[in-house]
Amino acid sequence: MSSDFSRTLSLLRQEKGISQRKAAGELGISQALLSHYENGIREPGLAFVVKVCDYYHVSADYLLGRTLSRDGAIIGADDLYDASVEKGSLKGSILATLQKKLVVNTAGMLFDLLGKTGDRQLIGAAGSYLASGLYQLLRLLYRASGGNEDLFAATPADFDAGLVQADMDLSRMQYQRRLGELAGRQELPALTAESLTAYPGLGQSAAQLFHNTDERCKEIL
């Protein structure tokens, strides 16, 4: 079974604000077995999947990672795969939609958390960092598609030398430094596995984004 199932199962329980013991009892299994399911050690049967769907009020497709919609708006096989090629491939439009949801939802949660600090410098630095990243990706796409780079104020030579990346790095430094300054003066919004449950949907996207990035980093190491 997809590893998305175990992660989603655990996050749904945390979102509901209940212990593993309580959830296991209400689902009719032992706490040890639920722990195995949530950690991907064992795979449940279909009857348990159906029971979980009813318990958390989500669709099986959501549990299995086939859609980000909890209400059963599924992504079918015909939507996901293009059978016109010999081996079939994931349709780019669907993949783009899923990636957009992960990034947009996570960014929304980030700025909601930063907004609680009321600090303009911190929020501005975060916005500048993300803007510089998007600038680079869009400019490279613009260049590859044959666009005239006179649209941009930074010359192609400066861009290729890392000017915009330097702006991004500077924004990260300002963000990190401001966080350090605020930490000494006020309580910052908590970001833990438990606190993600306060952001239904958004927290799930953030958890998935964390996981995807960690997996890519593991490959580098």
Side-chain angles (χ1 to χ4, degrees):
M1 187 170 290
S2 168
S3 60
D4 289 332
F5 174 83
S6 58
R7 289 193 300 275
T8 304
L9 182 63
S10 177
L11 195 60
L12 284 171
R13 176 181 59 76
Q14 294 175 51
E15 187 176 288
K16 196 176 178 71
I18 60 176
S19 67
Q20 232 178 35
R21 180 186 297 275
K22 179 175 175 60
E26 295 182 348
L27 288 168
I29 61 174
S30 69
Q31 181 180 350
L33 184 55
L34 180 58
S35 177
H36 285 171
Y37 289 161
E38 289 190 357
N39 287 289
I41 298 173
R42 294 182 60 179
E43 293 187 354
L46 179 59
F48 179 77
V49 172
V50 173
K51 187 176 293 187
V52 169
C53 290
D54 292 338
Y55 184 64
Y56 290 119
H57 306 293
V58 296
S59 70
D61 291 276
Y62 178 80
L63 268 179
L64 298 174
R66 296 184 65 214
T67 178
L68 293 177
S69 175
R70 300 184 180 212
D71 62 4
I74 70 168
I75 298 172
D78 291 340
D79 296 322
L80 283 171
Y81 291 96
D82 182 356
S84 63
V85 294
E86 185 176 349
K87 293 184 178 180
S89 62
L90 192 65
K91 285 187 177 179
S93 59
I94 297 299
L95 185 59
T97 298
L98 293 175
Q99 290 295 331
K100 181 178 73 172
K101 285 188 176 182
L102 288 181
V103 173
V104 170
N105 287 351
T106 304
M109 189 186 74
L110 170 65
F111 284 103
D112 189 32
L113 288 166
L114 295 181
K116 293 177 181 179
T117 70
D119 191 86
R120 295 172 60 89
Q121 293 182 46
L122 184 66
I123 296 168
S128 295
Y129 178 85
L130 294 175
S132 293
L134 291 171
Y135 177 105
Q136 292 183 76
L137 295 177
L138 287 168
R139 180 157 183 173
L140 289 171
L141 176 60
Y142 189 84
R143 174 186 291 179
S145 64
N148 185 339
E149 291 187 73
D150 287 344
L151 171 69
F152 304 95
T155 67
D158 287 340
F159 176 72
D160 291 338
L163 177 61
V164 180
Q165 182 61 49
D167 176 67
M168 190 174 184
D169 292 339
L170 176 61
S171 297
R172 181 186 181 279
M173 182 190 74
Q174 293 170 337
Y175 178 80
Q176 187 169 354
R177 182 177 62 186
R178 190 58 179 167
L179 278 175
E181 292 171 350
L182 293 176
R185 286 190 261 152
Q186 67 185 66
E187 184 176 347
L188 295 173
L191 181 58
T192 64
E194 290 72 25
S195 70
L196 290 178
T197 62
Y199 298 88
L202 303 187
Q204 176 71 14
S205 292
Q208 186 66 53
L209 184 145
F210 295 160
H211 172 77
N212 292 349
T213 303
D214 282 338
E215 290 300 307
R216 292 196 304 272
C217 289
K218 286 180 184 177
E219 294 179 4
I220 294 174
L221 297 174

